[in-house]
């Protein structure tokens, strides 16, 4: 039933509006003239009527009667009759007998008097219709004079209904009439609130309100489930007319985000029907959650200006570039949908608000595509990785130490060495070529190391190998050991990081230790000399012989962390004696950092492999770290929000003390308090510009959740950085009381700090050039791409897409 009512109201409103323009025929005067007896006997229960009592019409009352007569038609549309009551000279009743009574108009519902109007308040048709409807809609339209009254109404509506807040400079105006006419239709759907107090405009959040202009705000109180949570407000940007208000309320009642599973050319929404554009966010199942949050954020920003739809590539076969992440459909017939590549939500908003941007962006993209076709050898390109590869591509790489594998030689090569490292890459792709350069340096570092073979497979030439080995993105690096599952590398693709991973993965993880002396030596860092430069910390799991489940979980955790950390395991009969030395009981972890003589004992309360992995990763990190290019991937692996203090140099002693106190006081792994020194990591300037357009005054504290929507919040600059202030601010964030400074289109791919990769899909439809049909090459899953050499890409909102 509610759904039927919602559909009926807009249709009724439209018919009502149209009906008001149909001229009444067959009568020169619509104003009824009755005697008092005839009038009161004609009153019907529930029917409203406006009456003016008069003995003789004086010249001064003639203009009023003309306006009353002009309003008959408009009021009849709402079932309100208008009557001139001719009083006999001898009549001295309440309505006819007093002179001041003859200067008023009376509104009745049935035989009950609702309101008396001074005739000078009903000076034209607008004032008559507005005031009469205002009186009849007493419950549907509340009048407020103070902020307290407004807040009380707003609080009462939260979680229940929405509110239409209207300011008019004075009652009886055309804008007041328009609001009342719409309230007559929508009054049972939304609570209307009217004021003539200009100060309330500022209190409701309007910037520099113009007291001479009427304003309407739609307040989304139904979604505010907590009394402390403010109602979102969407202003009507156009003049207050019946059609504009009706259109605005219809848009507010439309779904915030429409999910689409059909050809976008066939899609029709209320926004398109009302002459507004429709923005499509192109999504896939792998990025659905992030794209859904992006679409909802955009929908709020564009509410009343454009519709937002989520279009699934998995359900609709789109013949467009895969790198396109946004589409724009205009209400104009015959205009094709435009598919674009945009970097953040600000660009989408600009696109809607500035129509000229659409043509400009598409022209730029067409020029880029044409340039790539005509001049694939250009020297300078906008992606820093592509630029570096383009600059160095004439230099021949020393690949003699790297074995080239084919479909015929791949499997036999896996048996040649105890450990075979394979780089899967695409020879045409810039990031792959950049990694290949680093790979040659790794080969030079490992020259002479026994039992390690470096090799490569060009997926462009040998797609079958890459498909068989389940390579879903490139560049990809895997390590093959005889009789074991291949180990995939997910770290940074720099020379030092990759070399360290290869060397550490040579050691069994975990390493089984047989005696207490071996265990003690392991904790002192006694490893083969060739590993000394790559070893930073040792983790020893101590178990009793009966703890088989905990040991199995620790072994599984070791397979996950192999190459990243050295892990040992001791479960002999005297394990209890070893653990008690460090004030813990089995099952337990003993953590020894390189260069630190102390050993930390950690009770192992959870016995799943993933819990052990998370605990080890967290324990190996600093309490309040300085974020750098090298260590950021380790913190991103925790998939937690970042609380980052940006500074231009070392942070002050007070800020350091307060942040450290905060870091030590929070429960483990809730979020990551850290800081970034712009002098040590200059790319931080780009991060801040991406967040705030310009670099704010430093230091500045920022909260960013890369794994849940990519929202960025800035700590109030007027507050000092103390533990108390920060915790209070975080509580407001948690309650949804703070507005983000920015939200990015997608955060799914930002956790990759290594060079940007392209995804490969067996049997896919997207490709670059005449690719073999069984091996299509596609960009990575997220709608946006992080430039390869911009190592701090996960903290950036904007970046260049891949050259493909």
């Amino acid at each position: 039933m509610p759904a039927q009512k919602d559909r009926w109201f807009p249709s009724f409103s439209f018919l009502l509006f149209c009906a008001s323009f149909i001229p009444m025929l067959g009568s020169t005067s619509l104003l009824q003239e009755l005697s008092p007896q005839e009038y009161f006997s004609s009153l019907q229960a529930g029917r409203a009527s406006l009456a003016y009592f008069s003995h003789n019409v004086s010249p001064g009352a003639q203009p009023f009667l003309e306006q009353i007569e002009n309003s008959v038609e408009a009021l009849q549309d709402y079932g309100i009759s208008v009557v001139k009551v001719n009083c006999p000279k001898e009549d001295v009743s309440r309505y006819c007998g007093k002179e001041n009574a003859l200067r008023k108009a009376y509104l009745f519902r049935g035989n009950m008097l609702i309101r008396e109007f001074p005739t000078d308040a009903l000076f034209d048709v607008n004032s008559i219709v507005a005031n009469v409807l205002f009186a009849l809609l007493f419950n549907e339209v509340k009048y407020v004079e103070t902020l307290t009254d407004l807040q009380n109404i707003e609080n009462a509506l939260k979680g229940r209904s929405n509110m239409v807040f209207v300011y008019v400079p004075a009652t009886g105006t055309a804008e007041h009439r328009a609001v009342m006419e719409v309230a007559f239709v929508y009054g049972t759907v939304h609570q209307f609130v009217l004021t003539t107090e200009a100060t309330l405009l500022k209190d409701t959040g309007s910037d520099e309100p113009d007291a001479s202009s009427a304003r309407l705000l739609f307040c989304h109180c139904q979604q505010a489930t907590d009394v402390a949570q403010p109602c979102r407000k969407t202003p009507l940007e156009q003049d207050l007319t019946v059609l504009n208000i009706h259109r605005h309320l219809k848009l507010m009642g439309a779904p915030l985000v429409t999910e689409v599973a059909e050809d976008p050319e066939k899609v029709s929404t209320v926004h398109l029907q009302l002459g507004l554009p429709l923005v499509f966010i192109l999504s896939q199942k792998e990025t659905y959650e992030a794209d859904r949050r992006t679409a909802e954020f955009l929908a709020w920003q564009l509410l009343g200006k454009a519709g937002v739809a989520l279009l699934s590539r998995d359900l609709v076969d789109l013949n467009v570039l895969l790198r396109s992440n946004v589409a724009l459909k205009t209400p104009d017939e015959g205009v094709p949908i435009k598919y674009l590549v945009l970097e953040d939500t600000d660009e989408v908003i600009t696109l809607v608000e500035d129509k000229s941007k659409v043509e400009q962006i598409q022209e730029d993209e067409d020029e880029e595509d044409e340039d790539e076709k005509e001049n694939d050898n250009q020297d300078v390109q906008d992606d820093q990785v592509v630029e570096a590869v383009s600059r160095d591509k004439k230099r021949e790489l020393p690949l003699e130490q790297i074995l080239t594998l084919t479909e015929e030689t791949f499997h036999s090569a896996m048996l040649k060495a105890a450990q075979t490292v394979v780089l899967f890459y695409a020879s045409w792709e810039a990031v792959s070529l950049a990694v290949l350069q680093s790979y040659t340096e790794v080969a030079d570092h490992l020259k002479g190391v026994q039992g390690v073979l470096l090799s490569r497979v060009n997926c462009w030439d040998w797609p079958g190998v890459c498909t068989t080995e389940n390579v879903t993105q490139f560049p990809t690096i895997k390590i093959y050991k005889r009789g074991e599952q291949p180990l995939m590398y997910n770290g940074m693709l720099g020379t030092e990081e990759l070399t360290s991973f290869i060397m550490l993965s040579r050691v069994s993880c975990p390493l089984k230790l047989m005696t207490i002396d071996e265990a003690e030596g392991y904790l002192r860092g006694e490893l083969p000399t060739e590993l000394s430069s790559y070893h930073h910390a040792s983790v020893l799991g101590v178990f009793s012989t009966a703890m088989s489940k905990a040991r199995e979980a620790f072994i599984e955790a070791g397979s996950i962390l192999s190459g990243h950390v050295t892990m040992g395991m001791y479960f002999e009969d005297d394990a209890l004696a070893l653990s008690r030395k460090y004030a813990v009981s089995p099952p337990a972890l003993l953590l020894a950092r390189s260069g630190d003589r102390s050993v930390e004992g950690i009770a192992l309360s959870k016995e799943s492999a993933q819990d052990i992995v998370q605990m080890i990763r967290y324990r190996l990190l600093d309490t309040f770290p300085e974020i750098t290019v090298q260590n950021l991937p380790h913190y991103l692996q925790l998939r937690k929000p970042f609380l980052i203090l940006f500074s231009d140099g070392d942070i002050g002693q007070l800020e350091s003390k307060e942040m450290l106190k905060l870091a030590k006081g929070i429960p483990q792994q809730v979020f990551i308090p850290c800081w970034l020194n712009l002098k040590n990591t200059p790319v931080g300037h780009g991060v801040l510009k991406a967040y705030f357009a310009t670099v704010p005054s430093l230091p500045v504290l920022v909260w960013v959740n890369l794994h849940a929507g990519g929202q960025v919040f800035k700590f109030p600059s007027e507050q000092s950085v103390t533990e108390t202030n920060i915790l209070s601010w975080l509580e407001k964030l948690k309650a949804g009381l703070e507005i983000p400074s920015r939200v990015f289109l997608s955060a799914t791919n930002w956790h990759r700090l290594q060079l940007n990769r392209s995804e490969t899909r067996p049997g896919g439809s997207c490709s670059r050039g005449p690719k073999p049909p069984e091996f299509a090459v596609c960009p990575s899953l997220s709608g946006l791409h992080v430039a390869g050499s911009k190592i701090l890409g996960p903290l950036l909102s904007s970046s260049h897409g891949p050259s493909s």
Side-chain angles (χ1 to χ4, degrees):
M1 188 67 185
Q4 293 177 349
K5 185 170 71 172
D6 290 346
R7 287 194 298 270
W8 180 82
F9 276 153
S11 302
F12 178 80
S13 176
F14 179 74
L15 292 174
L16 191 64
F17 177 80
C18 294
S20 66
F21 287 90
I22 301 175
M24 300 292 289
L25 303 176
S27 175
T28 56
S29 175
L30 297 174
L31 181 65
Q32 297 182 66
E33 295 196 29
L34 302 174
S35 68
Q37 184 178 359
E38 290 172 332
Y39 173 68
F40 286 110
S41 63
S42 68
L43 295 178
Q44 301 176 26
R47 291 293 301 272
S49 64
L50 180 66
Y52 173 67
F53 294 82
S54 171
H55 285 293
N56 293 309
V57 179
S58 64
Q62 189 62 42
F64 167 73
L65 282 176
E66 290 177 0
Q67 296 302 324
I68 282 286
E69 185 170 353
N70 291 339
S71 68
V72 171
E73 200 175 323
L75 290 175
Q76 279 183 345
D77 290 332
Y78 300 97
I80 305 168
S81 60
V82 182
V83 180
K84 176 178 177 288
V85 181
N86 296 316
C87 298
K89 290 183 179 180
E90 65 278 5
D91 192 339
V92 291
S93 63
R94 173 183 176 183
Y95 301 106
C96 289
K98 297 180 181 180
E99 184 179 347
N100 61 345
L102 301 178
R103 295 176 183 173
K104 295 180 181 179
Y106 299 89
L107 179 64
F108 292 86
R109 180 180 280 130
N111 58 6
M112 181 183 296
L113 178 64
I114 301 296
R115 184 71 56 84
E116 298 178 3
F117 298 106
T119 55
D120 57 1
L122 307 180
F123 47 85
D124 62 8
V125 174
N126 288 332
S127 63
I128 294 170
V129 174
N131 283 301
V132 168
L133 290 179
F134 194 13
L136 291 174
L137 298 173
F138 179 79
N139 292 319
E140 289 82 1
V141 184
K142 301 289 187 183
Y143 182 81
V144 295
E145 294 181 332
T146 67
L147 180 61
T148 301
D149 293 338
L150 178 62
Q151 290 176 337
N152 289 338
I153 295 174
E154 186 174 313
N155 290 336
L157 293 173
K158 287 178 181 177
R160 295 174 45 248
S161 182
N162 296 317
M163 180 175 76
V164 180
F165 175 71
V166 183
Y167 163 77
V168 290
T171 57
T173 60
E175 293 85 359
H176 184 203
R177 173 186 173 179
V179 171
M180 291 303 108
E181 289 187 289
V182 175
F184 189 87
V185 178
Y186 284 93
T188 56
V189 180
H190 310 300
Q191 177 65 63
F192 283 71
V193 177
L194 183 78
T195 188
T196 55
E197 302 295 328
T199 54
L200 288 185
L201 264 186
K202 188 174 183 180
D203 292 330
T204 55
S206 298
D207 296 330
E208 298 182 5
D210 180 6
S212 63
S213 301
R215 293 289 306 276
L216 183 146
L217 299 171
F218 187 90
C219 307
H220 306 265
C221 297
Q222 196 168 11
Q223 295 187 350
T225 55
D226 192 294
V227 176
Q229 183 181 355
C231 301
R232 286 177 179 262
K233 296 176 177 62
T234 305
L236 171 62
E237 304 289 353
Q238 292 79 32
D239 294 334
L240 267 61
T241 65
V242 170
L243 275 183
N244 285 343
I245 300 172
H246 163 71
R247 180 172 176 267
H248 191 63
L249 296 186
K250 195 169 183 181
L251 290 171
M252 297 302 103
L256 186 64
V257 175
T258 305
E259 297 210 14
V260 176
E262 62 176 320
D263 183 353
E265 293 286 0
K266 300 177 181 178
V267 173
S268 178
T269 67
V270 65
H271 306 86
L272 293 169
Q273 295 163 11
L274 293 176
L276 297 179
L278 182 63
V279 176
F280 293 91
I281 302 296
L282 307 189
S283 179
Q284 315 177 91
K285 62 181 180 181
E286 295 89 348
T287 60
Y288 172 80
E289 292 299 331
D291 294 331
R292 175 79 194 184
R293 287 190 293 269
T294 298
E296 289 176 355
F297 175 83
L298 267 178
W300 282 115
Q301 301 301 308
L302 296 175
L303 204 54
K305 301 175 183 177
V308 176
L310 196 61
L311 176 61
S312 173
R313 288 182 179 270
D314 301 304
L315 301 176
V316 182
D317 186 18
L318 296 176
N319 186 24
V320 297
L321 292 174
L322 196 77
R323 66 180 180 178
S324 299
N325 53 13
V326 172
L328 184 68
K329 183 176 184 178
T330 65
D332 306 318
E333 287 189 19
V335 178
I337 294 177
K338 293 180 172 59
Y339 292 88
L340 308 164
V341 182
L342 302 180
E343 293 186 348
D344 59 29
T345 51
D346 286 348
E347 287 195 3
V348 182
I349 295 168
T350 302
L351 185 72
V352 170
E353 295 177 346
D354 187 352
K355 294 181 180 179
S356 64
K357 287 286 184 182
V358 181
E359 289 75 16
Q360 180 183 335
I361 291 172
Q362 195 147 51
E363 286 174 8
D364 293 343
E365 290 179 3
D366 292 342
E367 288 176 7
E368 286 178 13
D369 292 340
E370 193 63 32
D371 290 343
E372 284 184 6
K373 293 176 184 177
E374 295 179 359
N375 185 17
D376 195 41
N377 297 322
Q378 66 189 53
D379 292 330
V380 179
Q381 303 184 38
D382 59 355
D383 186 288
Q384 297 177 10
V385 174
V386 179
E387 180 184 352
V389 173
S390 177
R391 185 177 62 246
D392 298 337
K393 65 184 176 180
K394 295 180 181 180
R395 178 168 62 91
E396 190 172 341
L397 294 175
L399 299 173
E400 57 275 1
Q401 297 182 66
I402 301 173
L403 181 64
T404 302
L405 302 181
T406 67
E407 201 165 298
E408 292 77 21
T409 63
F410 183 85
H411 293 291
S412 60
M414 299 302 105
L415 305 175
K416 288 185 178 181
Q419 186 180 34
T420 304
V421 186
V422 183
L423 167 64
F424 298 91
Y425 70 105
S427 57
W428 55 264
E429 200 252 341
V431 177
S432 288
L433 296 180
V435 172
L436 189 57
Q437 293 179 19
S438 296
Y439 200 54
T440 60
E441 295 172 5
V442 173
D444 189 55
H445 276 76
L446 299 180
K447 185 177 181 180
V449 175
Q450 297 297 316
V452 179
L453 173 65
L454 266 65
S455 60
R456 60 189 174 104
V457 176
N458 186 354
C459 293
W460 174 271
D461 297 327
W462 306 105
V465 176
C466 300
T467 302
T468 302
E469 294 305 311
N470 195 29
V471 175
T472 58
Q473 60 188 20
F474 48 72
T476 289
I477 294 175
K478 292 188 177 185
I479 296 180
Y480 293 79
K481 294 182 180 181
R482 296 173 191 168
E484 298 181 16
Q485 288 294 318
L487 180 64
M488 189 163 78
Y489 178 59
N490 288 315
M492 291 180 65
L493 293 174
T495 303
E496 292 183 9
E497 292 78 14
L498 182 54
T499 303
S500 174
F501 180 80
I502 294 171
M503 292 300 294
L504 289 180
S505 64
R506 299 182 70 201
V507 182
S508 296
C509 190
L511 187 65
K512 294 179 181 178
L513 305 169
M514 307 306 295
T515 68
I516 282 188
D517 288 340
E518 286 184 4
E520 295 280 16
Y522 172 79
L523 290 173
R524 288 193 297 269
E526 294 177 4
L527 292 172
T529 54
E530 65 268 21
L531 298 179
S532 59
S533 59
Y534 308 107
H535 170 69
H536 300 292
S538 298
V539 177
L540 178 63
V542 183
F543 309 91
S544 69
T545 53
M547 296 174 177
S548 57
K549 182 180 178 181
R551 290 203 312 269
E552 289 172 4
F554 188 75
I555 291 171
E556 185 182 343
S559 66
I560 296 172
L561 295 173
S562 178
H564 298 286
V565 63
T566 55
M567 295 172 61
M569 184 169 64
Y570 188 72
F571 55 94
E572 299 301 320
D573 293 336
D574 51 358
L576 182 59
L578 176 64
S579 62
R580 281 183 174 175
K581 182 178 178 180
Y582 300 102
V584 288
S585 298
L589 301 180
L590 301 180
L591 173 61
R593 301 177 188 274
S594 179
D596 187 351
R597 294 183 180 181
S598 64
V599 175
E600 181 183 1
I602 306 164
L604 200 56
S605 57
K606 296 182 180 179
E607 297 183 0
S608 74
Q610 285 299 330
D611 287 331
I612 294 173
V613 168
Q614 285 288 84
M615 178 179 289
I616 292 173
R617 282 176 172 166
Y618 186 79
R619 290 288 182 173
L620 291 176
L621 300 176
D622 295 331
T623 305
F624 178 53
E626 178 186 352
I627 293 298
T628 64
V629 168
Q630 289 74 24
N631 67 13
L632 182 54
H634 305 302
Y635 292 95
L636 286 172
Q637 286 176 342
L638 298 176
R639 301 186 65 81
K640 301 296 178 183
F642 280 71
L643 182 66
I644 314 175
L645 181 64
F646 290 85
S647 69
D648 189 18
D650 292 335
I651 56 177
Q653 187 175 357
L654 177 61
E655 288 88 352
S656 178
K657 178 182 177 182
E658 292 293 327
M659 290 295 290
L660 192 58
K661 192 196 313 180
L662 174 74
K664 290 180 178 179
I666 61 171
Q668 290 185 4
Q669 304 181 27
V670 174
F671 61 88
I672 302 170
C674 55
W675 67 291
L676 191 148
N677 187 339
L678 296 181
K679 289 185 176 177
N680 296 339
T681 312
V683 74
H685 288 282
V687 175
L688 289 174
K689 285 181 180 178
Y691 287 170
F692 308 111
T694 60
V695 177
S697 58
L698 301 174
V700 61
L701 187 63
V702 173
W703 172 281
V704 57
N705 195 344
L706 304 174
H707 306 288
Q711 293 183 332
V712 176
F713 296 87
K714 178 175 173 288
F715 181 73
S717 56
E718 66 273 11
Q719 295 187 26
S720 57
V721 179
T722 65
E723 180 189 22
T724 303
N725 288 343
I726 296 171
L727 289 175
S728 174
W729 178 61
L730 293 179
E731 283 299 319
K732 292 182 180 179
L733 294 189
K734 185 178 178 181
L737 302 179
E738 294 286 331
I739 299 174
S741 301
R742 198 159 190 184
V743 173
F744 308 125
L745 279 177
S746 177
T748 306
N749 203 35
W750 290 356
H751 70 282
R752 295 177 183 158
L753 269 199
Q754 60 269 44
L755 298 178
N756 185 37
R757 300 173 171 189
S758 294
E759 177 170 351
T760 60
R761 295 183 182 178
S765 60
C766 50
S767 63
R768 173 190 169 95
K771 293 295 295 174
E774 73 276 13
F775 194 75
V777 179
C778 310
S780 50
L781 294 177
S782 111
L784 298 179
H785 300 266
V786 180
S789 59
K790 295 176 181 175
I791 299 301
L792 284 184
L795 297 178
L796 285 166
S797 68
S798 58
S799 58
H800 300 293
S803 61
S804 56

